Each structure stands twice: as C-alpha cells, then as structure tokens.
Amino acid sequence: MGDEVMEEDNTWNQKKQIVIQQVADKVINGDDIFVKIQGARDIRRLVRNSSAVRARSNFAAAGVIPALVPMLSSLHFEAKEASLVALLNLAARNELNKVSIAAAGAVPPLVELLNIQSGNLRELATAAILTLSSALPNKPIIVASGAAPLLVQILSSASLQGRVDAVTALHNLSMCDEGPALVLDARAVPPLINLLKECKKYSKFAEKTTALLERLSMSAEGKTAITNVNGGILTLVETVEDGSLVSTEHAVGALLTLCRSCRDTYRGLILGEGAIPGLLRLTVEGTSEAQDRARTLLDLLRDSPPEKRLASSVMEKIVYDIATRVDGSDKAVETAKKLLHDMVQRSMELSMSNIQLKAASSTPSDVTPL
C-alpha cells in the first residue's frame, strides 16, 4: 500500500513539473507578448495553489525570473501588471527568489513604476519593493536606486495599504548597514505623524513608524517638521504613554533628540503636551535604553540646576512607587501625576532623606489612600 501511494505521489509531482515547464516555456520562448502575458498569469495561478513553496522554487529553477523582469518595462500595461504580479508571488516567503529578482535587474523598472501618479501598478510596485527590501542583499541596491523619495511621496497619496507598504519598505531600508545610507526626506514627517495618530500605538506598524520619526528627528529639517505638523509632539507623547516597549523607546528617543538640540525651544512644547506621566512610567517600565532616555529627558525638562536633577529623578521614582502601592500599577501614573502636580503647585521642598525614609518604611497597609 505504501509503495502505491509513493508511486501516485511521484506521478502527480511529475505531472506538476511538466505543467511548470510548459508555463515557463510560454514566458521564456513565447512567440508574442500575449503568450508571455498568459504564461505570467499562469505562474500566479499555480503558485497560489497547493505546494506553493515548491512551485516557487521550481519556476525559478526553470528560468522564468530573467524572462519576467524585462516585461516590467513593456509598453503593454497588461504585460507590466502580469509580470509584476507573477514576480510578487514568486518572491513571497522565498529569500532566494527575492535576491534572484533583484539580481536580474528588477529594481530600476520597479522604481519607474513608483513614478506613476496613481493606479494599481504603483501599488503593486510598492508591494514589490517592500517584499524585495526584506532580503539583506537587496537593501543597498534599493537604497541606491532612488526609491526612497518616491516611497515618501506615496505616504501622502496612495491608498492605506499603499502607505502601510511604503512605511514598512522605508523601515526595512533604514536598517541597511552596508552600502549607501538611507536619507529620509523631512516631507515624510506629516504623513508619518498622521499614520501614527490613526494606528494602535503598541502595534508593529507603530514601531516602524516611530523608528522612522526618530531617524527624522536627527536632521534640522526633520525637527522643524515634527514641531510644525499639527499634533506632532503630542502624538509622540501619546506613544510614550500607550506604546509597546519598542515604540515607546523610539518615541522618547525622538523627543530627547528634539530637546537636546535646543532645550529652550522644545522644553515648553514637550511639557505643554503633558509628557511627564508617560516619561515617569517609562523610567520604571521601559527597556533599559528607554529608561535611560526618559531619565535624561526628564532632567532636561526640569527647570532646576543640574546638581539637583539627580535628586529629582530619585524623588519621582519614589513617588511612582508610592502611587503603585496606593492605587495599583494601572492607576499609578495618574496618581503620581497628581502627587507631583500638587508638590509643584505648593512649592513643597521636601528633603530627599525624608522621602526615602517614608518610601522605605511604608507597606501597602501603611499608606493612607488619597
């Protein structure tokens, strides 16, 4: 029985290989463009069906990738679209194919398709650039191609899916350690802020968006753009409060970069958006990098001499610990905010020794609820 099943599987695999070879022959040796178009469409159909992983490898082995890439530059719209969709399907979850597609010269015609002002082809090209950009060897090729400025344009003019793909592609390219470094246009700031406003701050997408905004905050133009866009600093502050470990780290990094560049300019703007509670929580709950950044930013936000800032940092942690014991971790930030606000309003100058003594001697039952 086992031998019969194996023989049936072998027969089935042979039939599929014959079909793959027939389709590949259409793309490689087709008499006219319409035969090639049909072959490209057949590739998509066969790759999307069962055994897709093996089919992707088999089509690549049959030599279809070098034949599909020139179709991207065809004068026929249908040829462009069919080849683009076929290449996207061949690249999906196949690192070797991604590298082979870029090596076959697909990046320049894809960048040309990004220039199209609207329509399905530009969205497909954006998805293709995104897919190819996830392969490490492709990153410097795509950065050098001039794709980044066009992806920035797409942030403001494409569908939601197109914008999401553009953000993810730019994030992939920002992690290019070899070859030319990605230079981001400050015009990316407004659409990135708007996307960050709309998404869940703890999502993977927010992590990518805040990483790009932190990178943009390092340039003078980026700083100005973050300040000028409606709700720019507020959105970063909200991400510090509600984001994931990664997005909070990037958001506080951007705010810290702003404040370090010109404390007189940015201190009031950041304080005015209510940044203290989120920063206070981050000094306790964030990654080690986020904690360090939050403490440094809190020091810059305080209107006190440098020699007193370390003591203030310790005081804030103690206040947060007390608030946690009183109201629990869920409400600790708000409670701590009220405590700190009251202390400022009343100009209370408590000695650190007394505060530390209170925190050390207090137990949950000892603390009187506020």
PDB file of all heavy atoms in Angstrom, residues 249 261 276 305 355:
ATOM      1  N   GLU A 249      10.320  53.371  23.098  1.00  0.00           N
ATOM      2  CA  GLU A 249      11.760  53.675  23.044  1.00  0.00           C
ATOM      3  C   GLU A 249      12.071  54.638  21.904  1.00  0.00           C
ATOM      4  O   GLU A 249      12.840  55.592  22.072  1.00  0.00           O
ATOM      5  CB  GLU A 249      12.549  52.376  22.874  1.00  0.00           C
ATOM      6  CG  GLU A 249      14.062  52.563  22.879  1.00  0.00           C
ATOM      7  CD  GLU A 249      14.805  51.246  22.819  1.00  0.00           C
ATOM      8  OE1 GLU A 249      14.460  50.326  23.585  1.00  0.00           O
ATOM      9  OE2 GLU A 249      15.743  51.142  21.987  1.00  0.00           O
ATOM     10  N   SER A 261      18.646  69.234  21.179  1.00  0.00           N
ATOM     11  CA  SER A 261      19.090  70.155  20.125  1.00  0.00           C
ATOM     12  C   SER A 261      18.898  71.612  20.534  1.00  0.00           C
ATOM     13  O   SER A 261      19.708  72.467  20.196  1.00  0.00           O
ATOM     14  CB  SER A 261      18.335  69.876  18.827  1.00  0.00           C
ATOM     15  OG  SER A 261      16.969  70.233  18.942  1.00  0.00           O
ATOM     16  N   ILE A 276       5.165  64.383  31.238  1.00  0.00           N
ATOM     17  CA  ILE A 276       5.766  63.891  32.477  1.00  0.00           C
ATOM     18  C   ILE A 276       5.235  62.526  32.918  1.00  0.00           C
ATOM     19  O   ILE A 276       6.020  61.626  33.248  1.00  0.00           O
ATOM     20  CB  ILE A 276       5.593  64.923  33.613  1.00  0.00           C
ATOM     21  CG1 ILE A 276       6.368  66.207  33.279  1.00  0.00           C
ATOM     22  CG2 ILE A 276       6.073  64.353  34.946  1.00  0.00           C
ATOM     23  CD1 ILE A 276       7.866  66.018  33.156  1.00  0.00           C
ATOM     24  N   PRO A 305      18.691  73.519  38.618  1.00  0.00           N
ATOM     25  CA  PRO A 305      20.129  73.407  38.345  1.00  0.00           C
ATOM     26  C   PRO A 305      20.516  71.950  38.145  1.00  0.00           C
ATOM     27  O   PRO A 305      19.894  71.046  38.709  1.00  0.00           O
ATOM     28  CB  PRO A 305      20.776  73.979  39.617  1.00  0.00           C
ATOM     29  CG  PRO A 305      19.709  74.803  40.261  1.00  0.00           C
ATOM     30  CD  PRO A 305      18.420  74.129  39.919  1.00  0.00           C
ATOM     31  N   ILE A 355      11.870  61.688  52.213  1.00  0.00           N
ATOM     32  CA  ILE A 355      11.097  60.943  51.212  1.00  0.00           C
ATOM     33  C   ILE A 355      11.555  59.497  51.177  1.00  0.00           C
ATOM     34  O   ILE A 355      10.747  58.564  51.146  1.00  0.00           O
ATOM     35  CB  ILE A 355      11.267  61.578  49.815  1.00  0.00           C
ATOM     36  CG1 ILE A 355      10.744  63.022  49.846  1.00  0.00           C
ATOM     37  CG2 ILE A 355      10.528  60.793  48.754  1.00  0.00           C
ATOM     38  CD1 ILE A 355      10.981  63.770  48.546  1.00  0.00           C
TER      39      ILE A 355
END
